[in-house]
Structure formats: C-alpha cells, structure tokens
Amino acid sequence: MMHIYMIAAAVFFLFPSSLVADEPGEEQIELGRKVSFDSMKGNCLACHMMPGGEQPGNFGPPLIQMKARFPERSVLRRQIWDATEKNPKSIMPPFGKHGILSEEEVDAVVDYMYAL
Amino acid sequence: MKKISQSRMFLLLLPITMLWSCQTKDYSALVNKDIEEFRAYFTERFPEVELDDFADGVYAIDDNAREQWLAMEDFPPYSIAVEEGQALFENSFSNGKTYTDCFPEGGAVRHNYPYFDEQRNMVVTLEMAINECRSANGEPPLEYKKGDIAKISSYMAYISRGKPVEVKVSSQGAYEAYLKGKEFFYAKRGQLNMSCAGCHMRYSGRRLRSEVISPALGHPVHFPVFRLKWGEIGTLQRRYAGCNRNIGAKPLAIQGEEYRNLEFFQTVMSNGMHFNGPASRK
C-alpha cells in the first residue's frame, strides 16, 4: 500500500500536468481561437497561415499539425510566451513576456493550437 | 609597486592616445562600406530590381500591385498637392519675401536635404528648413506631418526629380548622428519587440496579412506620399510614426532628434539613387 502512494506521489511530482490537465473544454478552445485571431491580441494570422483564416501573412510557418510538431506542451508554450528565447532575432512578438497576452490567454492559445 | 604599474600603464596607453589624436577618421569610407553592404543585401534578395527602381517601394517587387499602381499613375493623386504646394511656395510672406529667398534654384533643392549642419551639430531636414524659412520671415511654423508643409515639400520634390541622392557624412558629429539613426533602424522596440530592419530587411517581400513589405532601400527617396489610406499627402516622418505606433513603441516627436537621425541614416543608405517624389501608395 505504502508503495503505491509513493509511486503516485513520484508520478505526480515528475509529471504534474499529466494528472492535473484535463482535455480543454470547448470554451477554452474558443477563447484561444478568439485571442489568436484578434488583431489587437495574438494577431497570429498576420504572420502565419491558420486553418479558417483568410489572407494570412507568411513571415512564419503555417500553424498546422501542432500535436505532431510540438509533442511537448511546454515547448509550444515557450514559443508563444517568448519566441526570442529560442531565436533571439525572432520577429515573433514575445506575447507573454511583454504582457501582450495574459498567462490565461497564452494557455488558451496553446490549447487552441493543439486543436488545429 | 603601485607607482610602477601606473607608469607602465601610462607607457602602454601613450601610443594609443597619440594615435587617437593624430588620426582623423575617414567617415565617408566607413559609411560607404555600410552602404555597400546594405545595398548588396537587397540586390541579392531582389536581383531583378534595378537600384533606382527600389524608390518605387513595394511596387518594385510585387508585380500585381505594380499594375494597379501604374494605372493610378495616369492621374496621380498627388498632383493636386504639387499644384497647391507651388502656389504656397510662390505666395509672399507678410514681409514681402517668399520661400525663394531661403531656397536657391527656385526651390529645386530636395537633394540638399537632409544634411548635417556642423554649426548647430544636428541633422536638418527639408521640412525643418521650410519652417525655419517661415520663422526667419516672421511667419508661424506649419504642422509637420501633413497639410501645407507636405504640399510645399511635394512641390520641391517634384521640381527636383532626377537629382541624385548624395548625403555627406564627413565629420565626427555627422557620423555620430548617422550611427544613432542606424542604431534606431536595427534596434527592437515597443511592446511587439520589432525593429524597422526586421520587417523592411529580413522580411521584405514577405506578406504581413495581405501587405507585402517594402525593402528599406530607397524609403526616403519618393516622399512625400499621397496615401490612399490617409486620403491626403503626408511626410516621411508621418509614416515613421505610423510604423512605430504599429509595433507598440512610445510615440516620438515628428522632426525630433530620433526621426531626423533615422531619416539621415535612411537617406545615406539611398546614396546613388535619384529623388523621384512625390509618390502615391496604398
């Protein structure tokens, strides 16, 4: 019995998100979609092709098949939070770091990305 | 011990300080090297575009947009501004003098601006010189972004068409102003953390939403611009302010030091091209 608790605790500390994060609800994904398309917020379409967006820009790569390309959620979140961490010259705005989006909005955008 | 090291230090530094004070730097050589690199960046990126054609901005690199633009040029929307600018230019001040008392060659001097004024240790732009002419003649200054000043500037640009861009950087002061403009151009700023160079060099020719980004080479050469979005004629620095606002940077004074140095840098980068303003843009 003791053992099982210990394993559970270890699993929790190693992979906290695997226990905490549920599949995001529709509302959350809808929020992420709104923030992504809003030209005063994410405005991702200015630079990225995105399913459902018209007249996309082409500074960055198309935002498709995100699950396959970003198996690690934290990697995708960091790209959106502060793209200059990976590429100091990046022209992609550091959405989280510069307060363009809130923590919650960045999370919602990430959830939306995985729904693409 | 302390004494020795100090005198050693002095001996070490002596030749350096001597070199420093004897040498007058060849500023134009330094600047010419920058011009060469800057130009090469764009001629490699857009090998089919001739140097002078970069003055047409996005229409030099986007065939679709170019056709619409050429059609518009049949009845250029800036022509009224040029006419009104001429009338304003020829109109006498209340003291009986006119702009021709300030500007030689009937005002066909667009190509003498911007320049570095050694006495005042600052960059002087054409729009600034227009307002200085007014105050020298007891007239109130004009607002800098648009309206009469842009019209007068358009007229002066129009009668100076074809004159070469030859901005000189030949003193320490001029070089410092140039370097400040250069730094401004390449530095990331604002909430969006973007630089002029980011869009107008690295992503020139790419699309931001549906807008193709113009190459920075030749930016100042065709101004002032009648912009359909503005529905009127505006100056280069008005456009600077627009791009600066779009990246969420703090607003700067039109004709303030930052924008004058930026205009100086951008015009130096256009040396060897020919003035062809005013122009029309979307």
Side-chain angles (χ1 to χ4, degrees), chain B residues 226-250:
Chain B
F226 186 101
R227 215 179 150 201
L228 297 184
K229 188 180 159 197
W230 294 336
E232 61 179 359
I233 198 99
T235 60
L236 176 62
Q237 295 197 9
R238 180 181 182 185
R239 196 72 209 245
Y240 284 173
C243 279
N244 202 51
R245 187 178 53 242
N246 288 344
I247 55 185
K250 85 174 192 317

PDB file of all heavy atoms in Angstrom, chain B residues 226-250:
ATOM      1  N   PHE B 226       1.255  60.555 -51.252  1.00  0.00           N
ATOM      2  CA  PHE B 226      -0.199  60.591 -51.145  1.00  0.00           C
ATOM      3  C   PHE B 226      -0.629  59.162 -50.867  1.00  0.00           C
ATOM      4  O   PHE B 226      -0.466  58.277 -51.700  1.00  0.00           O
ATOM      5  CB  PHE B 226      -0.854  61.086 -52.431  1.00  0.00           C
ATOM      6  CG  PHE B 226      -2.345  61.265 -52.285  1.00  0.00           C
ATOM      7  CD1 PHE B 226      -2.900  62.523 -52.094  1.00  0.00           C
ATOM      8  CD2 PHE B 226      -3.206  60.159 -52.317  1.00  0.00           C
ATOM      9  CE1 PHE B 226      -4.277  62.684 -51.937  1.00  0.00           C
ATOM     10  CE2 PHE B 226      -4.577  60.304 -52.149  1.00  0.00           C
ATOM     11  CZ  PHE B 226      -5.120  61.569 -51.963  1.00  0.00           C
ATOM     12  N   ARG B 227      -1.170  58.937 -49.686  1.00  0.00           N
ATOM     13  CA  ARG B 227      -1.555  57.590 -49.313  1.00  0.00           C
ATOM     14  C   ARG B 227      -3.059  57.469 -49.376  1.00  0.00           C
ATOM     15  O   ARG B 227      -3.780  58.268 -48.768  1.00  0.00           O
ATOM     16  CB  ARG B 227      -1.060  57.315 -47.890  1.00  0.00           C
ATOM     17  CG  ARG B 227      -0.629  55.902 -47.715  1.00  0.00           C
ATOM     18  CD  ARG B 227      -0.118  55.629 -46.327  1.00  0.00           C
ATOM     19  NE  ARG B 227      -0.409  54.239 -46.034  1.00  0.00           N
ATOM     20  CZ  ARG B 227      -0.487  53.737 -44.824  1.00  0.00           C
ATOM     21  NH1 ARG B 227      -0.300  54.509 -43.775  1.00  0.00           N
ATOM     22  NH2 ARG B 227      -0.749  52.462 -44.653  1.00  0.00           N
ATOM     23  N   LEU B 228      -3.541  56.473 -50.094  1.00  0.00           N
ATOM     24  CA  LEU B 228      -4.993  56.301 -50.216  1.00  0.00           C
ATOM     25  C   LEU B 228      -5.616  56.150 -48.834  1.00  0.00           C
ATOM     26  O   LEU B 228      -6.691  56.673 -48.568  1.00  0.00           O
ATOM     27  CB  LEU B 228      -5.315  55.088 -51.094  1.00  0.00           C
ATOM     28  CG  LEU B 228      -4.827  55.208 -52.551  1.00  0.00           C
ATOM     29  CD1 LEU B 228      -5.270  53.995 -53.363  1.00  0.00           C
ATOM     30  CD2 LEU B 228      -5.298  56.500 -53.216  1.00  0.00           C
ATOM     31  N   LYS B 229      -4.919  55.430 -47.946  1.00  0.00           N
ATOM     32  CA  LYS B 229      -5.441  55.238 -46.596  1.00  0.00           C
ATOM     33  C   LYS B 229      -5.585  56.566 -45.859  1.00  0.00           C
ATOM     34  O   LYS B 229      -6.516  56.756 -45.081  1.00  0.00           O
ATOM     35  CB  LYS B 229      -4.509  54.298 -45.839  1.00  0.00           C
ATOM     36  CG  LYS B 229      -5.050  53.878 -44.502  1.00  0.00           C
ATOM     37  CD  LYS B 229      -4.112  52.931 -43.767  1.00  0.00           C
ATOM     38  CE  LYS B 229      -4.432  52.955 -42.288  1.00  0.00           C
ATOM     39  NZ  LYS B 229      -3.350  52.390 -41.481  1.00  0.00           N
ATOM     40  N   TRP B 230      -4.657  57.493 -46.100  1.00  0.00           N
ATOM     41  CA  TRP B 230      -4.742  58.819 -45.473  1.00  0.00           C
ATOM     42  C   TRP B 230      -5.736  59.707 -46.228  1.00  0.00           C
ATOM     43  O   TRP B 230      -6.283  60.653 -45.670  1.00  0.00           O
ATOM     44  CB  TRP B 230      -3.384  59.534 -45.475  1.00  0.00           C
ATOM     45  CG  TRP B 230      -2.315  58.904 -44.624  1.00  0.00           C
ATOM     46  CD1 TRP B 230      -2.487  58.099 -43.545  1.00  0.00           C
ATOM     47  CD2 TRP B 230      -0.892  59.055 -44.789  1.00  0.00           C
ATOM     48  NE1 TRP B 230      -1.261  57.740 -43.023  1.00  0.00           N
ATOM     49  CE2 TRP B 230      -0.266  58.307 -43.769  1.00  0.00           C
ATOM     50  CE3 TRP B 230      -0.072  59.744 -45.697  1.00  0.00           C
ATOM     51  CZ2 TRP B 230       1.119  58.228 -43.628  1.00  0.00           C
ATOM     52  CZ3 TRP B 230       1.299  59.668 -45.561  1.00  0.00           C
ATOM     53  CH2 TRP B 230       1.896  58.916 -44.530  1.00  0.00           C
ATOM     54  N   GLY B 231      -5.843  59.453 -47.516  1.00  0.00           N
ATOM     55  CA  GLY B 231      -6.654  60.324 -48.366  1.00  0.00           C
ATOM     56  C   GLY B 231      -6.024  61.689 -48.558  1.00  0.00           C
ATOM     57  O   GLY B 231      -6.698  62.657 -48.921  1.00  0.00           O
ATOM     58  N   GLU B 232      -4.743  61.775 -48.339  1.00  0.00           N
ATOM     59  CA  GLU B 232      -4.042  63.058 -48.468  1.00  0.00           C
ATOM     60  C   GLU B 232      -2.545  62.807 -48.497  1.00  0.00           C
ATOM     61  O   GLU B 232      -2.090  61.683 -48.344  1.00  0.00           O
ATOM     62  CB  GLU B 232      -4.401  63.981 -47.299  1.00  0.00           C
ATOM     63  CG  GLU B 232      -4.000  63.376 -45.963  1.00  0.00           C
ATOM     64  CD  GLU B 232      -4.312  64.265 -44.763  1.00  0.00           C
ATOM     65  OE1 GLU B 232      -4.831  65.364 -44.958  1.00  0.00           O
ATOM     66  OE2 GLU B 232      -4.012  63.833 -43.641  1.00  0.00           O
ATOM     67  N   ILE B 233      -1.826  63.921 -48.671  1.00  0.00           N
ATOM     68  CA  ILE B 233      -0.374  63.815 -48.750  1.00  0.00           C
ATOM     69  C   ILE B 233       0.231  63.888 -47.344  1.00  0.00           C
ATOM     70  O   ILE B 233      -0.285  64.590 -46.473  1.00  0.00           O
ATOM     71  CB  ILE B 233       0.159  64.962 -49.655  1.00  0.00           C
ATOM     72  CG1 ILE B 233       1.573  64.677 -50.155  1.00  0.00           C
ATOM     73  CG2 ILE B 233       0.087  66.315 -48.982  1.00  0.00           C
ATOM     74  CD1 ILE B 233       1.609  64.138 -51.542  1.00  0.00           C
ATOM     75  N   GLY B 234       1.294  63.125 -47.123  1.00  0.00           N
ATOM     76  CA  GLY B 234       1.955  63.131 -45.809  1.00  0.00           C
ATOM     77  C   GLY B 234       3.460  62.987 -45.971  1.00  0.00           C
ATOM     78  O   GLY B 234       3.951  62.578 -47.030  1.00  0.00           O
ATOM     79  N   THR B 235       4.159  63.321 -44.904  1.00  0.00           N
ATOM     80  CA  THR B 235       5.630  63.312 -44.959  1.00  0.00           C
ATOM     81  C   THR B 235       6.193  61.948 -44.546  1.00  0.00           C
ATOM     82  O   THR B 235       5.490  61.103 -43.986  1.00  0.00           O
ATOM     83  CB  THR B 235       6.202  64.374 -44.004  1.00  0.00           C
ATOM     84  OG1 THR B 235       5.760  64.068 -42.676  1.00  0.00           O
ATOM     85  CG2 THR B 235       5.738  65.761 -44.391  1.00  0.00           C
ATOM     86  N   LEU B 236       7.479  61.783 -44.803  1.00  0.00           N
ATOM     87  CA  LEU B 236       8.180  60.550 -44.429  1.00  0.00           C
ATOM     88  C   LEU B 236       8.044  60.277 -42.928  1.00  0.00           C
ATOM     89  O   LEU B 236       7.781  59.150 -42.506  1.00  0.00           O
ATOM     90  CB  LEU B 236       9.662  60.683 -44.808  1.00  0.00           C
ATOM     91  CG  LEU B 236      10.591  59.542 -44.405  1.00  0.00           C
ATOM     92  CD1 LEU B 236      10.181  58.236 -45.084  1.00  0.00           C
ATOM     93  CD2 LEU B 236      12.047  59.878 -44.743  1.00  0.00           C
ATOM     94  N   GLN B 237       8.204  61.328 -42.147  1.00  0.00           N
ATOM     95  CA  GLN B 237       8.187  61.105 -40.699  1.00  0.00           C
ATOM     96  C   GLN B 237       6.787  60.779 -40.188  1.00  0.00           C
ATOM     97  O   GLN B 237       6.639  60.142 -39.149  1.00  0.00           O
ATOM     98  CB  GLN B 237       8.821  62.293 -39.973  1.00  0.00           C
ATOM     99  CG  GLN B 237      10.308  62.400 -40.320  1.00  0.00           C
ATOM    100  CD  GLN B 237      11.100  63.267 -39.372  1.00  0.00           C
ATOM    101  OE1 GLN B 237      10.614  63.684 -38.335  1.00  0.00           O
ATOM    102  NE2 GLN B 237      12.356  63.523 -39.731  1.00  0.00           N
ATOM    103  N   ARG B 238       5.774  61.178 -40.920  1.00  0.00           N
ATOM    104  CA  ARG B 238       4.421  60.748 -40.565  1.00  0.00           C
ATOM    105  C   ARG B 238       4.339  59.225 -40.705  1.00  0.00           C
ATOM    106  O   ARG B 238       3.748  58.535 -39.879  1.00  0.00           O
ATOM    107  CB  ARG B 238       3.401  61.416 -41.486  1.00  0.00           C
ATOM    108  CG  ARG B 238       1.980  61.005 -41.172  1.00  0.00           C
ATOM    109  CD  ARG B 238       0.992  61.669 -42.104  1.00  0.00           C
ATOM    110  NE  ARG B 238      -0.382  61.313 -41.762  1.00  0.00           N
ATOM    111  CZ  ARG B 238      -1.435  61.676 -42.478  1.00  0.00           C
ATOM    112  NH1 ARG B 238      -1.280  62.407 -43.575  1.00  0.00           N
ATOM    113  NH2 ARG B 238      -2.647  61.316 -42.125  1.00  0.00           N
ATOM    114  N   ARG B 239       4.957  58.729 -41.766  1.00  0.00           N
ATOM    115  CA  ARG B 239       4.966  57.276 -41.980  1.00  0.00           C
ATOM    116  C   ARG B 239       5.798  56.574 -40.903  1.00  0.00           C
ATOM    117  O   ARG B 239       5.435  55.503 -40.423  1.00  0.00           O
ATOM    118  CB  ARG B 239       5.516  56.977 -43.383  1.00  0.00           C
ATOM    119  CG  ARG B 239       5.234  55.578 -43.878  1.00  0.00           C
ATOM    120  CD  ARG B 239       3.784  55.415 -44.234  1.00  0.00           C
ATOM    121  NE  ARG B 239       3.326  54.059 -44.057  1.00  0.00           N
ATOM    122  CZ  ARG B 239       2.910  53.254 -45.039  1.00  0.00           C
ATOM    123  NH1 ARG B 239       2.853  53.677 -46.262  1.00  0.00           N
ATOM    124  NH2 ARG B 239       2.504  52.041 -44.779  1.00  0.00           N
ATOM    125  N   TYR B 240       6.929  57.174 -40.559  1.00  0.00           N
ATOM    126  CA  TYR B 240       7.728  56.607 -39.459  1.00  0.00           C
ATOM    127  C   TYR B 240       6.857  56.440 -38.214  1.00  0.00           C
ATOM    128  O   TYR B 240       6.881  55.415 -37.544  1.00  0.00           O
ATOM    129  CB  TYR B 240       8.890  57.540 -39.085  1.00  0.00           C
ATOM    130  CG  TYR B 240      10.081  57.549 -40.021  1.00  0.00           C
ATOM    131  CD1 TYR B 240      11.119  58.461 -39.839  1.00  0.00           C
ATOM    132  CD2 TYR B 240      10.188  56.641 -41.076  1.00  0.00           C
ATOM    133  CE1 TYR B 240      12.226  58.485 -40.664  1.00  0.00           C
ATOM    134  CE2 TYR B 240      11.301  56.668 -41.910  1.00  0.00           C
ATOM    135  CZ  TYR B 240      12.316  57.590 -41.702  1.00  0.00           C
ATOM    136  OH  TYR B 240      13.414  57.619 -42.511  1.00  0.00           O
ATOM    137  N   ALA B 241       6.101  57.505 -37.922  1.00  0.00           N
ATOM    138  CA  ALA B 241       5.287  57.482 -36.708  1.00  0.00           C
ATOM    139  C   ALA B 241       4.258  56.356 -36.768  1.00  0.00           C
ATOM    140  O   ALA B 241       3.979  55.713 -35.762  1.00  0.00           O
ATOM    141  CB  ALA B 241       4.605  58.832 -36.510  1.00  0.00           C
ATOM    142  N   GLY B 242       3.712  56.114 -37.965  1.00  0.00           N
ATOM    143  CA  GLY B 242       2.724  55.051 -38.129  1.00  0.00           C
ATOM    144  C   GLY B 242       3.316  53.683 -37.839  1.00  0.00           C
ATOM    145  O   GLY B 242       2.759  52.891 -37.076  1.00  0.00           O
ATOM    146  N   CYS B 243       4.462  53.388 -38.444  1.00  0.00           N
ATOM    147  CA  CYS B 243       5.094  52.079 -38.225  1.00  0.00           C
ATOM    148  C   CYS B 243       5.512  51.935 -36.769  1.00  0.00           C
ATOM    149  O   CYS B 243       5.392  50.870 -36.180  1.00  0.00           O
ATOM    150  CB  CYS B 243       6.283  51.878 -39.162  1.00  0.00           C
ATOM    151  SG  CYS B 243       5.786  51.338 -40.819  1.00  0.00           S
ATOM    152  N   ASN B 244       6.011  53.021 -36.200  1.00  0.00           N
ATOM    153  CA  ASN B 244       6.437  52.998 -34.807  1.00  0.00           C
ATOM    154  C   ASN B 244       5.257  52.698 -33.876  1.00  0.00           C
ATOM    155  O   ASN B 244       5.378  51.962 -32.901  1.00  0.00           O
ATOM    156  CB  ASN B 244       7.071  54.351 -34.453  1.00  0.00           C
ATOM    157  CG  ASN B 244       7.995  54.275 -33.268  1.00  0.00           C
ATOM    158  OD1 ASN B 244       8.876  53.426 -33.228  1.00  0.00           O
ATOM    159  ND2 ASN B 244       7.781  55.146 -32.299  1.00  0.00           N
ATOM    160  N   ARG B 245       4.104  53.272 -34.205  1.00  0.00           N
ATOM    161  CA  ARG B 245       2.898  53.033 -33.395  1.00  0.00           C
ATOM    162  C   ARG B 245       2.454  51.579 -33.539  1.00  0.00           C
ATOM    163  O   ARG B 245       2.055  50.940 -32.570  1.00  0.00           O
ATOM    164  CB  ARG B 245       1.787  53.984 -33.836  1.00  0.00           C
ATOM    165  CG  ARG B 245       0.536  53.945 -32.958  1.00  0.00           C
ATOM    166  CD  ARG B 245      -0.515  54.939 -33.419  1.00  0.00           C
ATOM    167  NE  ARG B 245      -0.836  54.776 -34.829  1.00  0.00           N
ATOM    168  CZ  ARG B 245      -0.643  55.710 -35.762  1.00  0.00           C
ATOM    169  NH1 ARG B 245      -0.147  56.877 -35.447  1.00  0.00           N
ATOM    170  NH2 ARG B 245      -0.945  55.469 -37.032  1.00  0.00           N
ATOM    171  N   ASN B 246       2.534  51.066 -34.782  1.00  0.00           N
ATOM    172  CA  ASN B 246       2.084  49.692 -35.024  1.00  0.00           C
ATOM    173  C   ASN B 246       2.870  48.661 -34.232  1.00  0.00           C
ATOM    174  O   ASN B 246       2.371  47.571 -33.982  1.00  0.00           O
ATOM    175  CB  ASN B 246       2.174  49.349 -36.515  1.00  0.00           C
ATOM    176  CG  ASN B 246       1.109  50.064 -37.315  1.00  0.00           C
ATOM    177  OD1 ASN B 246       0.144  50.579 -36.755  1.00  0.00           O
ATOM    178  ND2 ASN B 246       1.280  50.102 -38.627  1.00  0.00           N
ATOM    179  N   ILE B 247       4.106  48.966 -33.882  1.00  0.00           N
ATOM    180  CA  ILE B 247       4.870  47.998 -33.095  1.00  0.00           C
ATOM    181  C   ILE B 247       4.773  48.292 -31.597  1.00  0.00           C
ATOM    182  O   ILE B 247       5.505  47.718 -30.800  1.00  0.00           O
ATOM    183  CB  ILE B 247       6.345  47.899 -33.561  1.00  0.00           C
ATOM    184  CG1 ILE B 247       7.032  49.265 -33.560  1.00  0.00           C
ATOM    185  CG2 ILE B 247       6.418  47.277 -34.925  1.00  0.00           C
ATOM    186  CD1 ILE B 247       8.437  49.231 -34.137  1.00  0.00           C
ATOM    187  N   GLY B 248       3.854  49.203 -31.253  1.00  0.00           N
ATOM    188  CA  GLY B 248       3.591  49.463 -29.842  1.00  0.00           C
ATOM    189  C   GLY B 248       4.724  50.190 -29.141  1.00  0.00           C
ATOM    190  O   GLY B 248       4.930  50.013 -27.946  1.00  0.00           O
ATOM    191  N   ALA B 249       5.466  50.987 -29.900  1.00  0.00           N
ATOM    192  CA  ALA B 249       6.565  51.743 -29.295  1.00  0.00           C
ATOM    193  C   ALA B 249       6.058  53.102 -28.835  1.00  0.00           C
ATOM    194  O   ALA B 249       5.046  53.588 -29.332  1.00  0.00           O
ATOM    195  CB  ALA B 249       7.705  51.920 -30.287  1.00  0.00           C
ATOM    196  N   LYS B 250       6.785  53.715 -27.919  1.00  0.00           N
ATOM    197  CA  LYS B 250       6.326  55.004 -27.423  1.00  0.00           C
ATOM    198  C   LYS B 250       6.469  56.050 -28.531  1.00  0.00           C
ATOM    199  O   LYS B 250       7.449  56.035 -29.274  1.00  0.00           O
ATOM    200  CB  LYS B 250       7.079  55.390 -26.153  1.00  0.00           C
ATOM    201  CG  LYS B 250       8.418  56.082 -26.317  1.00  0.00           C
ATOM    202  CD  LYS B 250       8.914  56.513 -24.943  1.00  0.00           C
ATOM    203  CE  LYS B 250      10.086  57.456 -24.934  1.00  0.00           C
ATOM    204  NZ  LYS B 250      11.218  57.375 -25.725  1.00  0.00           N
TER     205      LYS B 250
END
